[in-house]
Amino acid sequence: MSRAFSSPPRLQLRLAVAGDVAVGPGKIALLEAIERHGSIAAACREMGLSYKKAWRLIETMNRHLERPVLETRAGGSQRGGAVVTSSGQVLVARYRALTQAVAALPEAEQLVALMALPDATDATDDTPTDDASST
């Protein structure tokens, strides 16, 4: 049986705390989008994410971290918006650095290479074929 992959395999890191994913690639991408736009709503539009879902992700991070990752200001388009805190910026930087370091490890590269095979069982299948069984 052959598997079709829509995208190449890649390594992703998640930090789980008490059954929650406190930090992961989606949460980091959300913080980066908020940083770019200065707005949760604009970040959601870019990511195709609902505003409610974005707040759930932010609340999960805040629940498990020492300091909030985001500050918001009321006031609409004139004075409102969202700012990633210095704690949030440190979180993003450390997550990205760790992800790059782990991805560069030979073991990570070997694991990803295994997953890139069209079907790992085909490469190690010792079942004789019709040609081999007739000899």
Side-chain angles (χ1 to χ4, degrees):
M1 175 188 281
S2 147
R3 288 177 249 147
F5 295 104
S6 58
S7 62
R10 64 186 192 280
L11 191 62
Q12 293 184 336
L13 297 177
R14 290 175 169 76
L15 176 62
V17 179
D20 284 337
V21 175
V23 179
K27 290 179 174 86
I28 295 298
L30 175 60
L31 291 177
E32 291 171 328
I34 293 169
E35 183 79 15
R36 274 193 303 280
H37 296 287
S39 161
I40 298 169
C44 289
R45 282 191 296 275
E46 176 188 310
M47 296 179 71
L49 192 65
S50 77
Y51 192 80
K52 182 178 180 178
K53 173 75 174 185
W55 266 112
R56 282 197 312 257
L57 296 174
I58 293 164
E59 288 169 351
T60 299
M61 284 185 283
N62 285 340
R63 186 170 51 250
H64 295 292
L65 298 168
E66 289 182 356
R67 295 187 185 110
V69 296
L70 195 67
E71 290 178 359
T72 58
R73 295 182 302 261
S77 62
Q78 298 298 339
R79 290 176 282 171
V83 175
V84 177
T85 64
S86 59
S87 295
Q89 292 170 347
V90 167
L91 176 69
V92 169
R94 288 184 180 166
Y95 179 87
R96 290 296 179 205
L98 180 60
T99 299
Q100 288 177 346
V102 169
L105 291 172
E107 295 84 359
E109 292 174 359
Q110 292 165 358
L111 180 62
V112 169
L114 283 175
M115 303 311 291
L117 291 174
D119 189 352
T121 59
D122 288 347
T124 60
D125 190 0
D126 292 333
T127 307
T129 61
D130 289 335
D131 294 338
S133 61
S134 62
T135 55

